[in-house]
Amino acid sequence: LPETVERVVVIRDPNYQDLGTLDCVERAHRERRDAGRACRLRRPSSLKEDPAVTAARTLPHRAGLKVDVVDLSRFFCGRRWCWPVIGGVLVHRDEAHITRLYAETLAPYLARAYDRIRGVADVE
């Protein structure tokens, strides 16, 4: 990284979903079943290693450079499962990208994580 870079914040990739997950969600919805539970994915196969996080954690130390990782995985997955619908909101729009609405629900948590990184006190 150029010497002018003083801070790097890496946001961990969300989990991935299978190709058939959106079809499963639609089918569960039609059948009035809980799509989150019916179409859930095992965490180990859905939450992949993130190369950017690995790189951030192994970046050689340099004076004046701060590197932080924000991991929002707990908002996608529990200990064993990752859910395609959370709080009635569709999480992914395709295999690897989250929906705008779900991203908006994460905004306050991302803002708090960034404030912690910057050392800004919680004013609540």
Side-chain angles (χ1 to χ4, degrees), residues 14 18 24-25 33 38 61 97:
D18 295 336
C24 179
V25 168
R33 293 183 300 133
H61 177 74
H97 299 93

Side-chain angles (χ1 to χ4, degrees), residues 32-85:
R32 298 185 185 275
R33 293 183 300 133
D34 178 349
R37 181 171 295 280
C39 305
R40 65 189 180 184
L41 301 162
R42 294 193 178 281
R43 181 182 172 118
S45 61
S46 182
L47 192 61
K48 312 270 189 226
E49 182 178 334
D50 185 336
V53 170
T54 302
R57 291 185 173 146
T58 59
L59 199 62
H61 177 74
R62 184 186 89 203
L65 177 64
K66 293 182 172 91
V67 179
D68 294 284
V69 173
V70 175
D71 186 350
L72 299 175
S73 297
R74 66 190 174 115
F75 297 103
F76 295 89
C77 306
R79 289 185 182 150
R80 294 178 51 206
W81 302 102
C82 297
W83 300 281
V85 177

Side-chain angles (χ1 to χ4, degrees), residues 6-25:
E6 297 175 358
R7 180 176 296 271
V8 174
V9 178
V10 175
I11 302 171
R12 191 203 189 293
D13 276 345
N15 67 305
Y16 292 84
Q17 66 181 21
D18 295 336
L19 287 172
T21 302
L22 291 176
D23 289 337
C24 179
V25 168

